[in-house]
């Protein structure tokens, strides 16, 4: 198969930032995706429907002329989010999920949830009105190894939470482990999971060496949850290419300036928005499953969220496409994933 035409896809997990950064990255997403679930971890975070409305207006103002893009907004859950805020979010029509960041888990998560027991009122309201809970599934206790944080979260937080709120619609975001993939596959009730292109393409060796084995720290491969062992990457590929509608595309594209990444305390995040479909196509192709890409990228997500599938189409061809060494990012630059490399698939329409 050398040409692949898909229903226009959506990105079910995206960081767009704000201000000049937003203006720099949004055209990359709008080129490929009709809609995206927009993460609320701004500084300060998007904790209310009123803030989400303002942020949505800023995003719409940054959409390039001639492009069509719909931001699907989310609220940032805190220990104090009242049930009323969930109702306002639902009534707005533009808020499509509430994001749970365990406090301290990742970029701008310090106002996140310190204990899910404090969010019972919000969870009850979400369960009642059908508002999805989008979960960054990692524990943050210092004694838990960074590579085990998702697995421990699954047992300590996810399973009990879903026992207590069995009808609460949940997305286990950017899953990175075999355990999470199998849990989502086998669980009862309304649960889905997003999978990033970088977790499908790379295992944790990528943090410490080039593809041809040259050693060295590679900060542009550092994200959270961190890349895992090859057996986990294989399990994610199996899930993504299985045709199971619980698994769908979420890039978790997370722009940080070159200086914030190439730093003694570098930020977490891989920038994949500019070549997202090309990267996913490479992963699905390598698994011999290009025929499953459309379901994963364009069908399972809208069906899970109860939104219409997109009407437009997008075409990929098997022809080399060059990723630039860097991209403009306001006064700075971003180094995209696979910078300077050639990808096997190109977007043609
Ligand atoms: O790598 C990540 N970057 N993981 C996250 O959870 C947040 C994101 C960001 O906002 O930079
Ligand atoms: Zn994210």
């Amino acid at each position: 198969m050398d040409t692949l035409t898909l229903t226009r896809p959506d990105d079910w997990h995206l960081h767009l930032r704000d201000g000049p950064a937003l203006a720099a990255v949004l055209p990359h997403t709008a080129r490929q995706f009709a809609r995206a679930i927009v993460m609320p971890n701004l500084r300060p975070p998007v904790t209310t429907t009123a803030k989400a409305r303002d942020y949505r207006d800023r995003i719409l103002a940054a959409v390039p002329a001639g492009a069509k893009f719909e931001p699907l907004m989310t609220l940032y859950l805190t220990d104090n989010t009242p049930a009323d805020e969930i109702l306002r979010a639902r009534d707005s029509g533009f808020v499509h999920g509430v994001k749970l960041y365990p406090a301290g888990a990742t970029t701008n998560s310090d106002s996140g949830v310190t204990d899910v027991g404090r969010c019972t009122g919000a969870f009850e309201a979400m369960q009642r009105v059908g508002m999805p809970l989008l979960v960054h599934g990692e524990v943050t206790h210092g004694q838990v190894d960074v590579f085990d944080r998702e697995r421990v979260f699954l047992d300590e937080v996810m399973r009990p939470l879903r026992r207590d709120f069995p009808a609460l619609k949940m997305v286990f975001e950017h899953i990175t482990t075999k355990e999470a993939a199998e849990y989502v596959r086998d669980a009862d009730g309304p649960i889905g999971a997003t999978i990033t292109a970088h977790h499908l393409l790379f295992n944790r060796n990528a943090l410490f060496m080039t593809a041809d084995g040259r050693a060295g720290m590679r900060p542009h491969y550092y994200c959270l949850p961190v890349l895992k062992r090859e057996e986990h990457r294989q399990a994610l590929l199996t899930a993504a290419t299985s045709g199971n509608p619980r698994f769908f595309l979420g890039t978790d594209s997370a722009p940080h300036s070159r200086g914030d990444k190439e730093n003694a305390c570098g930020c977490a995040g891989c920038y994949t928005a500019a070549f997202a479909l090309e990267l996913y196509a490479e992963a699905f192709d390598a698994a011999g499953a290009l025929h499953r890409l459309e379901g994963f990228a364009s069908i399972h997500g809208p069906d899970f969220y109860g939104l219409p599938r997109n009407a437009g189409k997008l075409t990929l061809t098997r022809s080399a496409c060059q990723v630039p060494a860097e991209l403009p990012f306001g006064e700075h630059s971003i180094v995209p994933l696979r910078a300077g490399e050639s990808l096997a698939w190109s977007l043609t329409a």
Side-chain angles (χ1 to χ4, degrees):
M1 209 192 287
D2 289 333
T3 302
L4 190 61
T5 297
L6 310 175
T7 300
R8 196 165 160 82
D10 304 299
D11 185 348
W12 300 97
H13 185 126
L14 176 66
H15 297 270
L16 282 176
R17 315 301 190 208
D18 211 344
L22 165 65
V25 300
L26 183 57
H28 297 153
T29 288
R31 181 176 75 102
Q32 309 204 326
F33 298 105
R35 300 170 288 196
I37 285 278
V38 180
M39 288 297 128
N41 62 332
L42 302 183
R43 212 176 260 287
V46 182
T47 48
T48 64
T49 308
K51 287 182 177 147
R53 175 179 288 110
D54 292 347
Y55 185 30
R56 179 172 182 272
D57 289 344
R58 297 196 296 279
I59 296 168
L60 288 173
V63 175
K68 264 187 82 177
F69 175 74
E70 186 186 356
L72 307 172
M73 307 308 293
T74 60
L75 297 192
Y76 184 112
L77 187 70
T78 72
D79 286 351
N80 306 312
T81 304
D84 280 0
E85 195 57 57
I86 304 299
L87 303 183
R88 276 192 287 281
R90 191 273 315 265
D91 291 344
S92 75
F94 57 75
V95 176
H96 294 269
V98 174
K99 179 71 190 269
L100 162 58
Y101 285 108
T106 187
T107 308
N108 298 346
S109 64
D110 25 305
S111 324
V113 171
T114 61
D115 176 354
V116 288
R118 298 183 184 219
C119 301
T120 302
F123 293 151
E124 279 167 359
M126 291 169 66
Q127 179 168 251
R128 205 166 55 246
V129 305
M131 175 64 74
L133 178 68
L134 316 182
V135 181
H136 182 111
E138 289 192 290
V139 295
T140 55
H141 343 301
Q143 72 274 20
V144 179
D145 190 284
V146 166
F147 290 93
D148 294 334
R149 288 181 173 195
E150 183 174 284
R151 200 167 46 73
V152 174
F153 182 93
L154 175 58
D155 291 332
E156 287 189 358
V157 185
M158 191 62 133
R159 291 181 200 274
L161 193 58
R162 295 197 66 255
R163 258 197 306 275
D164 293 346
F165 300 95
L168 176 57
K169 208 168 175 175
M170 279 200 211
V171 183
F172 200 156
E173 298 287 348
H174 43 53
I175 57 169
T176 62
T177 55
K178 185 168 180 271
E179 289 81 0
E182 290 177 353
Y183 174 75
V184 171
R185 182 193 65 194
D186 298 337
D188 291 326
I191 185 161
T194 53
I195 306 180
T196 76
H198 42 289
H199 289 100
L200 292 175
L201 287 167
F202 297 102
N203 64 35
R204 65 190 194 177
N205 281 4
L207 287 162
F208 307 113
M209 63 183 71
T210 59
D212 57 5
R214 271 179 299 124
M217 282 284 295
R218 301 215 294 158
H220 300 292
Y221 290 78
Y222 172 60
C223 63
L224 287 170
V226 72
L227 294 172
K228 303 295 193 298
R229 285 177 183 275
E230 178 62 10
E231 66 170 308
H232 297 289
R233 186 182 79 86
Q234 289 295 338
L236 299 176
L237 260 181
T238 300
T241 61
S242 65
N244 184 329
R246 289 186 166 179
F247 299 106
F248 37 89
L249 184 158
T251 62
D252 198 17
S253 179
H256 293 277
S257 70
R258 177 190 273 271
D260 285 346
K261 294 285 295 172
E262 297 173 7
N263 189 294
C265 184
C267 293
C270 295
Y271 188 66
T272 53
F275 296 93
L277 255 291
E278 296 90 331
L279 292 165
Y280 279 107
E282 202 161 297
F284 275 64
D285 195 11
L290 280 172
H291 61 294
R292 290 277 166 76
L293 184 59
E294 183 177 40
F296 178 78
S298 315
I299 308 295
H300 304 164
D303 289 3
F304 182 89
Y305 275 89
L307 293 167
R309 298 173 184 177
N310 295 316
K313 300 277 182 202
L314 173 152
T315 299
L316 286 154
T317 53
R318 193 189 297 279
S319 61
C321 125
Q322 188 67 23
V323 180
E326 55 182 18
L327 295 163
F329 189 52
E331 292 173 6
H332 305 277
S333 65
I334 326 178
V335 178
L337 195 81
R338 306 279 293 274
E341 292 179 35
S342 169
L343 304 179
W345 288 82
S346 305
L347 209 64
T348 46

